[in-house]
Amino acid sequence: MAAAEAPKIERGEPVALALGAGGARGFAQIGVIEALQARGLKIVTVAGSSSGALVGGVFAAGKLPEFSARLKEMSRGDFVRMLDPSLGGNGLFRGERLIETMREVVGDPNIEALPITFVAVAVDLMRQREVWLRQGPLWQAIRASFAIPGLFTPAEVHGRELVDGGLLAPLPITATRLSDAHRLIAVDMHGWPESPPGEPAKPDAPPMRPHRFGAWVEKHLRRRVEEQTEEGIGFSEIMARSLDTMQAQIARVQMALDPPELVIRIPRDACLFYEFWRAGEMIELGRKEADKALDAAGY
């Protein structure tokens, strides 16, 4: 017997939005939100992991247009200069300079004071479980949610060291279920690649040029992010592919166990996980993919 078709989401009906982890391509979720609002869908709850928490938190604070404009005007060098090296051994970057830059645009609200219900999902490595951050400083929660192990130092929240929510909840569907929303829309960041296996891959963006960022960055950032092995796969690509593979499998299980009414998929090869300077391109891609999914669903 064929599965029952999910009821159509009515215009103005309260919906929850689950935003996934995906590194720089997570900025595509800005375009997704813009497309959903253009169709008259009323988003009342947002849950996000990693870059999904960043986009979702800014949206819940009512500052998405300002945030989007700021991202589009930032150059590759601007993003690189936001990376602040950590002198410890539990991460390459502290993430404080990045947070401070975003705080200048959004402000520093508490989650419980936001006009839209928001949940940032992080992971407690000691207890090996998800943590739903629904109260306290917005940026503290977002910083915890995007703390990719090895790249950013863990974030301490209420005495617990938290890391990237994408490790256990790359698509935080369950975190939306405490809301009063009637329907759920999920943004899967691991869609079928635009250049499927067997076809020529899209050319990558030009390599990152060195900046005056100190000898530490020259040694660690450029070596780990730029440098390619003889086989053509460097540290950054190995890490990105490994995370993507793990997160894609978990997300598929989550959607099978708790199917959303609508899934919008972003191609997993849209950009490399660290290419944050391609924000404008990702936002446009998100808008296009959202419109495609909405048209197919008859909205």
Side-chain angles (χ1 to χ4, degrees):
M1 179 182 295
E5 187 174 331
K8 182 178 177 180
I9 303 172
E10 299 296 335
R11 189 178 183 91
E13 185 178 15
V15 299
L17 186 60
L19 300 180
R25 70 179 181 274
F27 287 151
Q29 295 174 117
I30 296 174
V32 168
I33 292 173
E34 292 173 350
L36 295 177
Q37 290 185 308
R39 302 283 180 120
L41 297 179
K42 182 182 179 183
I43 303 168
V44 298
T45 295
V46 181
S49 284
S50 197
S51 55
L54 174 59
V55 172
V58 172
F59 169 69
K63 296 290 186 178
L64 197 61
E66 295 89 342
F67 182 69
S68 177
R70 179 67 177 271
L71 288 176
K72 291 176 181 178
E73 69 184 18
M74 293 181 70
S75 68
R76 184 178 315 192
D78 292 331
F79 279 105
V80 172
R81 283 186 287 272
M82 284 195 297
L83 299 176
D84 42 1
S86 168
L87 299 180
N90 59 355
L92 289 177
F93 307 108
R94 299 195 309 271
E96 295 174 5
R97 193 176 300 164
L98 174 63
I99 290 297
E100 185 56 39
T101 301
M102 303 306 173
R103 185 185 284 119
E104 292 174 2
V105 180
V106 180
D108 197 16
N110 282 347
I111 295 174
E112 59 269 28
L114 300 179
I116 293 175
T117 303
F118 173 66
V119 183
V121 179
V123 169
D124 184 331
L125 283 181
M126 290 297 294
R127 296 169 177 82
Q128 298 185 330
R129 63 180 59 165
E130 290 179 41
V131 176
W132 296 357
L133 300 170
R134 297 182 291 157
Q135 296 181 351
L138 173 64
W139 289 110
Q140 182 185 59
I142 291 174
R143 170 65 179 83
S145 189
F146 72 59
I148 300 173
L151 188 61
F152 290 103
T153 57
E156 184 173 327
V157 181
H158 304 308
R160 296 179 294 184
E161 287 198 334
L162 305 181
V163 297
D164 195 295
L167 292 183
L168 294 180
L171 190 56
I173 290 173
T174 306
T176 68
R177 293 309 188 187
L178 294 176
S179 74
D180 293 329
H182 299 176
R183 301 282 188 263
L184 171 65
I185 297 173
V187 186
D188 178 17
M189 304 305 298
H190 305 91
W192 189 249
E194 292 185 334
S195 300
E199 293 185 9
K202 297 181 302 180
D204 289 336
M208 188 186 304
R209 294 184 176 88
H211 293 270
R212 288 188 176 182
F213 199 43
W216 193 96
V217 174
E218 286 291 317
K219 179 180 178 182
H220 294 278
L221 178 63
R222 293 186 63 222
R223 186 188 69 194
R224 294 194 176 191
V225 174
E226 293 184 75
E227 190 175 79
Q228 300 294 305
T229 65
E230 292 181 1
E231 292 78 18
I233 300 178
F235 172 85
S236 64
E237 190 68 10
I238 288 291
M239 184 171 73
R241 290 186 188 182
S242 299
L243 284 173
D244 272 354
T245 299
M246 177 189 72
Q247 292 175 351
Q249 292 297 328
I250 296 174
R252 291 189 187 106
V253 171
Q254 290 173 320
M255 286 188 287
L257 293 174
D258 196 358
E261 278 71 27
L262 178 66
V263 179
I264 297 168
R265 291 182 167 88
I266 306 300
R268 62 176 178 264
D269 66 341
C271 72
L272 299 178
F273 82 96
Y274 58 83
E275 293 182 312
F276 294 100
W277 52 87
R278 296 175 65 185
E281 179 185 342
M282 292 302 102
I283 292 169
E284 184 57 36
L285 173 65
R287 191 181 298 111
K288 182 188 75 172
E289 295 299 327
D291 282 335
K292 185 190 305 181
L294 289 163
D295 289 342
Y299 292 104

